[in-house]
Amino acid sequence: HHRSGPPEGNGRKRGTQAQAIGRSRGGLTTKIVALVDALGNLVRFLLLPGQAHDMKGVAPLIRGVSFEALLADKAFDADWLLQDLNQRGAVIPSKANRKIQRDYDAEVYKWRHLVENYFAKIKEFRGIATRYDKTDCSYAACWNLVAALIASR
């Protein structure tokens, strides 16, 4: 045939399409946005490509979930999210570059360590910490399995 490359006709695409793998400064990575309950147990999680911002995963993560307060870090300081969470309750500190700094309940915010503790627990499992799985479906299955193991401890 007259040009280099794969033969025409099969139409399949190769690579990491829709596998929650993205290129960031550290190479090919996957970002995990997680929702943890008041006891530090995983409620939901979402896999995003490494270059995606955390805010992309917030709306589908909290949709249909009832809570009294959402504790999140400064990365989630966005006007649209704060307006949506006004009735539900949000404890999110302001970013340093925000023109008008908002007040937040620092005592309640101290409980956000439960999220960080959960990530520390889940990273004890080597396959989760380094993502050996090629597909996002199998990686998500590993997350669910490890979450069940952690909850049963």
Side-chain angles (χ1 to χ4, degrees), residues 4-116:
S4 63
E8 290 187 45
N10 63 4
R12 73 180 185 160
K13 289 187 176 183
R14 294 176 170 221
T16 60
Q17 286 86 19
Q19 297 302 329
I21 298 175
R23 187 164 298 281
S24 66
R25 292 169 64 178
L28 294 176
T29 58
T30 299
K31 188 172 285 189
I32 297 102
V33 182
L35 183 65
V36 177
D37 68 8
L39 299 175
N41 297 316
L42 184 68
V43 176
R44 285 185 183 170
F45 69 94
L46 191 68
L47 302 175
L48 297 172
Q51 79 274 10
H53 194 276
D54 296 344
M55 291 297 292
K56 285 188 175 185
V58 174
L61 198 66
I62 64 173
R63 187 178 301 125
V65 177
S66 62
F67 49 81
E68 291 181 23
L70 178 75
L71 310 180
D73 64 5
K74 293 179 180 186
F76 297 96
D77 179 23
D79 290 333
W80 69 267
L81 180 62
L82 294 168
Q83 288 172 355
D84 183 44
L85 295 175
N86 243 354
Q87 298 83 10
R88 298 170 80 180
V91 181
I92 302 173
S94 298
K95 289 182 183 177
N97 64 354
R98 189 178 265 279
K99 289 181 181 176
I100 301 170
Q101 296 288 313
R102 292 177 296 98
D103 290 330
Y104 69 98
D105 190 342
E107 284 300 312
V108 173
Y109 187 72
K110 288 179 182 178
W111 287 97
R112 204 187 74 77
H113 76 279
L114 292 172
V115 176
E116 303 303 330

